[in-house]
Amino acid sequence: MSLIADCFRRLTDISSSCKSELKGYKVTDVSRTRKVGIACRDFQDLKQKACLKLNVTNDPEEVNVFLLDGSLIDEEYFCTLAPQTTLILQKPGEQVLSDADILYDALRRVNIDFLTAGDRVTQFLTDNLKTKVALLNRVLNKDDSKTALSTRQEHPEWFENLETNYMSKEAYMHRRCQDRIRTYLYKTIEQIKCSDVFMNDYKARQQLLRTIAFFKLQLKEDHYFGYYFDRSRAETKSDTDETDYGRCYDHCPCNFGRISDETYLRQRYLRLPQSLDTNVTADSDTIDETDARKFLDSEKKNAKAASDEKWKDSCPYRVKSRDTQIAICDRKGEFKCEGRWNADGCPYGDRHKINPYRSKEELALFSTWNLDHKIERSRTLIPQLLQISRQDTVNEQDIYDCYDNLFTVKNLRLVHIICHDKGSHK
């Protein structure tokens, strides 16, 4: 295969949703001393240009990109970000501080009055927080006059100080739930790859990588379950309800349908050599020396791994479509606590309910509610998955059950902070 063809295959590995349009972003370093504007076409282009402008000499593959709230960004998540989003470039060994961390450090450095104020804020956030959240919930303004409003134009104060370009409450809440589920995915992958089984058992590692690849594909198909927080997907009692539960928002990271599931999996996750997908086209003028050099460098880094790994031709697990996509709130956007992991319901009744669609104060308080695993992710589910990966024959249903327990309301319940038990679920 010629160098040009190889480069072309590499370029088609990029998700179709973000491979040609030029977009602008703001990038700063971890110390926030410099901020530069970057115009780029994809995630790798952003990292290369940001490293150049911020005088970072590390290989772009070694640097990480974060949001201002400390969320780690990958290539897939980057495709969903709005233009002009501010990002943080992190070199190996550096610590990323959130805006809240920087504000508190600034308070500590000014004078004793601010020091006292900063310490009091910290104490408030750490000392008996559950009681204080309950108090805040009781004193919230329960004015329902704007709850039903949806757009930024109709209820601008709801969107005030939110770093988002979403124009409706439903779209914003949809994305916030996706972020929570995505965090569970990242934590799952991190725990798997840090395990002794993954590092020392070659056969189990192959199985775990295929399982991770399936998780990513299935989560795309399921829209990262963003509809759990989206009141437009609330179930109704009307037999004539014509809600299209198969529709998803444009910002859902699930639009990989331009290439087959198998091709997407092979190209993006399993790194298998294959012929070009005839359904994907590209402008050959975009393949320049930089692209060729980047491709060759990447191939060198993966050469040893490619020689060791003998992957199957496709993912052994079929991606399934769900018939319905139902929110866990009602049509007004009200959520109710489902109680501790080992209880049949919440003993506090109507005292543990919240509507983040009502006001920005309730939206902020909703961030203290948790999607809690009844069967624990880190203590039970991941160890079970590691054990399954070592079996000679893996039951397909076991992988599906693990996925449901990790990411769906089969094992997740929304709970008020008071009902969130962080101890062992035994």
Side-chain angles (χ1 to χ4, degrees), residues 403-418:
Y403 174 87
D404 286 342
N405 284 328
L406 284 169
F407 307 114
T408 79
V409 291
K410 174 184 177 181
N411 187 48
L412 291 172
R413 58 170 55 185
L414 185 69
V415 295
H416 188 283
I417 188 174
I418 290 177

Side-chain angles (χ1 to χ4, degrees), residues 81-99:
L81 294 179
Q84 302 307 317
T85 299
T86 300
L87 305 171
I88 303 172
L89 197 72
Q90 177 209 37
K91 295 185 293 185
E94 291 183 329
Q95 181 181 2
V96 175
L97 298 178
S98 68
D99 284 349

Side-chain angles (χ1 to χ4, degrees), residues 223-242:
H223 318 313
Y224 286 83
F225 298 100
Y227 50 83
Y228 284 159
F229 289 177
D230 174 5
R231 67 180 178 183
S232 69
R233 296 304 182 90
E235 190 171 17
T236 66
K237 298 180 180 179
S238 172
D239 294 333
T240 60
D241 180 43
E242 298 180 354

Side-chain angles (χ1 to χ4, degrees), residues 113-283:
D113 294 331
F114 283 139
L115 173 63
T116 302
D119 286 336
R120 286 175 178 172
V121 169
T122 301
Q123 183 179 6
F124 178 84
L125 294 176
T126 56
D127 184 23
N128 204 13
L129 178 59
K130 292 184 176 181
T131 300
K132 291 168 182 174
V133 168
L135 176 62
L136 289 173
N137 188 60
R138 287 198 296 269
V139 300
L140 282 176
N141 181 8
K142 300 295 185 178
D143 180 9
D144 259 334
S145 61
K146 295 186 177 181
T147 303
L149 302 180
S150 175
T151 68
R152 184 185 294 268
Q153 291 77 15
E154 293 172 334
H155 197 174
E157 58 268 29
W158 191 92
F159 293 87
E160 187 177 358
N161 297 325
L162 292 183
E163 191 170 306
T164 178
N165 65 337
Y166 296 139
M167 301 307 294
S168 73
K169 297 176 183 179
E170 292 77 12
Y172 181 79
M173 293 297 295
H174 192 102
R175 180 55 177 271
R176 292 284 68 79
C177 188
Q178 288 178 331
D179 290 345
R180 295 199 189 196
I181 299 299
R182 191 188 299 272
T183 297
Y184 291 150
L185 172 64
Y186 290 158
K187 289 182 177 180
T188 297
I189 294 174
E190 181 181 12
Q191 186 174 347
I192 288 174
K193 292 189 174 181
C194 290
S195 68
D196 290 338
V197 173
F198 184 88
M199 292 187 287
N200 300 321
D201 189 325
Y202 168 76
K203 185 177 179 181
R205 181 167 64 252
Q206 286 185 312
Q207 171 60 35
L208 289 167
L209 286 172
R210 292 190 181 98
T211 301
I212 290 171
F214 165 72
F215 285 171
K216 291 181 177 180
L217 283 173
Q218 187 63 58
L219 281 171
K220 278 179 171 288
E221 179 68 23
D222 290 326
H223 318 313
Y224 286 83
F225 298 100
Y227 50 83
Y228 284 159
F229 289 177
D230 174 5
R231 67 180 178 183
S232 69
R233 296 304 182 90
E235 190 171 17
T236 66
K237 298 180 180 179
S238 172
D239 294 333
T240 60
D241 180 43
E242 298 180 354
T243 300
D244 179 9
Y245 289 114
R247 175 188 62 82
C248 69
Y249 285 115
D250 292 338
H251 64 264
C252 278
C254 62
N255 299 312
F256 59 93
R258 295 187 182 181
I259 59 176
S260 66
D261 291 353
E262 178 180 331
T263 300
Y264 185 92
L265 178 63
R266 290 163 62 93
Q267 290 180 341
R268 189 172 183 83
Y269 299 116
L270 301 187
R271 300 180 180 274
L272 284 171
Q274 63 173 49
S275 59
L276 297 177
D277 192 308
T278 56
N279 293 327
V280 182
T281 60
D283 185 354

Side-chain angles (χ1 to χ4, degrees), residues 13-28:
D13 189 29
I14 302 174
S15 181
S16 61
S17 63
C18 61
K19 65 181 180 181
S20 61
E21 185 179 356
L22 194 65
K23 296 181 180 179
Y25 299 90
K26 300 171 186 176
V27 183
T28 184

